[in-house]
Amino acid sequence: MAERARVAVLISGRGSNMAALVYAAKATDCPFEVVLVSGDRPEAPGLALAEAEGIVVARLASPASNQKRRFFEELDQALRRSSADFVILAGFMRIIPDDFVEAWSGRMLNIHPSLLPKYRGLVTHAAALAAEDTVAGCTVHLVTSELDGGPVLGQTEVAILPDDTPETLAERVRIAEHQLLPRVLADYVSRERSPEWIERRVDELACTLPEVTSRTAHGSPGWRVGGDKAGKFFAILSVRHHGEEAIALLVKSSGQDEMAALIEAEPDIYYRPAYYGASGWIALRLDRSQVDWDHVADWLQRSWRTAAPKRLTKLIDAADAF
Ligand code: GAR
């Protein structure tokens, strides 16, 4: 199986949603693993549970009101140390500062006990009952700087019973949360490893370069520069081709020496692809955690230059000179 996505979970209390993630991750085919549990309350019961399960726990002191910045800096360090790819807010009862949200943009998910956009903030169950709703529920969404306002990734409806109290309703919503969160997270982290998602991303980058068209190369998605006839391939997406297990972008290196040096320096990223390797194409793995897409864009541009006709590279060189 491909490398699993590394997930850190932040809690403030019981941590039953965190536990749901930990137990989901015990399945061998789960696409994520929990690498860190932390939060804003060192005595939170969920931390002991995580420790008992052998997970690294960062027990940070509760931030006094004037120490919030420091707390989030320490939290950020703990997250970086854990090499987490994603952060899950699972009952983490703190407003997240904007720069922290920005740093984890697209990689931080929250579980909220209502059917958003209904009932943001606290006391969601009492609000649903007071409004005489017939259904309540829970939502998993991406975290943005708008409180409980980021794009929704998944929801589960929970029927409201005539004699429900906020407590009885909360209890059933929790059961739904324990199903929803691991499933949505698994889908979300897998999305970036899917051939379709990777191809779209490469296509977006490749098509920002001049005179690029996409065309299949021996059954693989490819990108060419130059006209229909004289055009040349500069990038090919190898999706587990020739019995290889990787999804990788093939681009032109300067030759066998550079290829060997890169593979030796970063064997998790580079390999020599079957057939294409002989003519200087190097494979850049894209089905990994923390793909640096700026780096991919640099490679695409470099490879484009080797294949582009002079009239185009001249223009680019002239633009670069300014
Ligand atoms: C969960 O119901 C979660 O949706 C809610 O806190 C509870 C935590 O329970 N989160 C929020 O209200 C966030 N605004 P848990 O600690 O047992 O997972």
Side-chain angles (χ1 to χ4, degrees):
M1 198 179 75
E3 195 190 328
R4 298 188 194 209
R6 299 171 65 83
V7 167
V9 188
L10 305 185
I11 64 170
S12 293
R14 177 149 77 159
S16 67
N17 279 288
M18 174 274 296
L21 293 176
V22 168
Y23 299 136
K26 289 192 180 192
T28 48
D29 61 350
C30 181
F32 61 81
E33 60 180 320
V34 178
V35 294
L36 177 76
V37 175
S38 189
D40 60 335
R41 285 184 43 222
E43 75 290 1
L47 298 182
L49 184 151
E51 265 163 357
E53 292 292 349
I55 292 166
V56 176
V57 168
R59 249 176 228 276
L60 306 180
S62 275
S65 54
N66 59 346
Q67 298 271 305
K68 279 195 197 131
R69 170 152 291 283
R70 171 104 186 273
F71 169 80
F72 278 100
E73 277 165 13
E74 281 176 15
L75 182 57
D76 191 61
Q77 282 163 15
L79 291 169
R80 307 272 165 201
R81 266 200 306 277
S82 73
S83 303
D85 303 313
F86 297 92
V87 176
I88 312 304
L89 309 181
F92 182 65
M93 299 306 201
R94 290 267 165 194
I95 306 270
I96 315 278
D98 281 352
D99 53 347
F100 196 91
V101 171
E102 187 55 38
W104 289 94
S105 167
R107 320 215 138 246
M108 183 153 56
L109 280 61
N110 180 43
I111 177 124
H112 182 78
S114 79
L115 296 172
L116 290 171
K118 272 190 162 179
Y119 315 131
R120 297 179 181 189
L122 302 172
V123 294
T124 55
H125 305 301
L129 293 175
E132 300 188 354
D133 289 351
T134 53
V135 286
C138 49
T139 302
V140 176
H141 65 95
L142 284 173
V143 177
T144 61
S145 54
E146 190 186 346
L147 180 68
D148 299 329
V152 169
L153 300 176
Q155 291 188 310
T156 302
E157 288 188 354
V158 173
I160 294 182
L161 301 179
D163 54 356
D164 259 335
T165 63
E167 291 73 30
T168 58
L169 179 56
E171 204 170 317
R172 280 202 317 290
V173 168
R174 263 211 181 83
I175 297 172
E177 290 184 333
H178 299 165
Q179 305 291 319
L180 180 70
L181 181 57
R183 182 166 54 75
V184 169
L185 179 60
D187 287 351
Y188 191 71
V189 304
S190 306
R191 189 191 65 133
E192 295 187 5
R193 316 276 174 107
S194 79
E196 299 76 26
W197 190 91
I198 292 174
E199 184 180 337
R200 262 201 313 277
R201 192 76 203 258
V202 172
D203 189 60
E204 276 166 21
L205 294 175
C207 291
T208 60
L209 298 164
E211 279 192 32
V212 168
T213 48
S214 58
R215 182 174 333 154
T216 52
H218 301 290
S220 294
W223 292 267
R224 285 159 65 93
V225 53
D228 234 11
K229 282 202 187 106
K232 277 191 186 166
F233 281 105
F234 66 95
I236 292 163
L237 189 67
S238 166
V239 179
R240 305 188 189 101
H241 223 219
H242 303 301
E244 289 164 355
E245 64 160 309
I247 303 179
L249 182 68
L250 311 189
V251 280
K252 276 282 202 176
S253 72
S254 65
Q256 301 301 325
D257 289 349
E258 186 191 20
M259 190 169 355
L262 287 170
I263 294 168
E264 194 185 326
E266 292 185 285
D268 293 342
I269 300 186
Y270 297 105
Y271 69 94
R272 188 175 196 272
Y275 305 105
Y276 287 94
S279 42
W281 293 81
I282 189 167
L284 186 59
R285 274 195 88 141
L286 298 180
D287 57 344
R288 329 175 270 118
S289 302
Q290 298 179 332
V291 171
D292 178 349
W293 286 95
D294 291 337
H295 181 234
V296 176
D298 290 346
W299 263 113
L300 282 168
Q301 187 173 28
R302 209 188 121 173
S303 193
W304 176 93
R305 266 177 187 274
T306 66
K310 273 250 153 39
R311 65 184 164 81
L312 289 179
T313 51
K314 256 198 260 163
L315 284 177
I316 301 271
D317 290 342
D320 281 355
F322 281 97

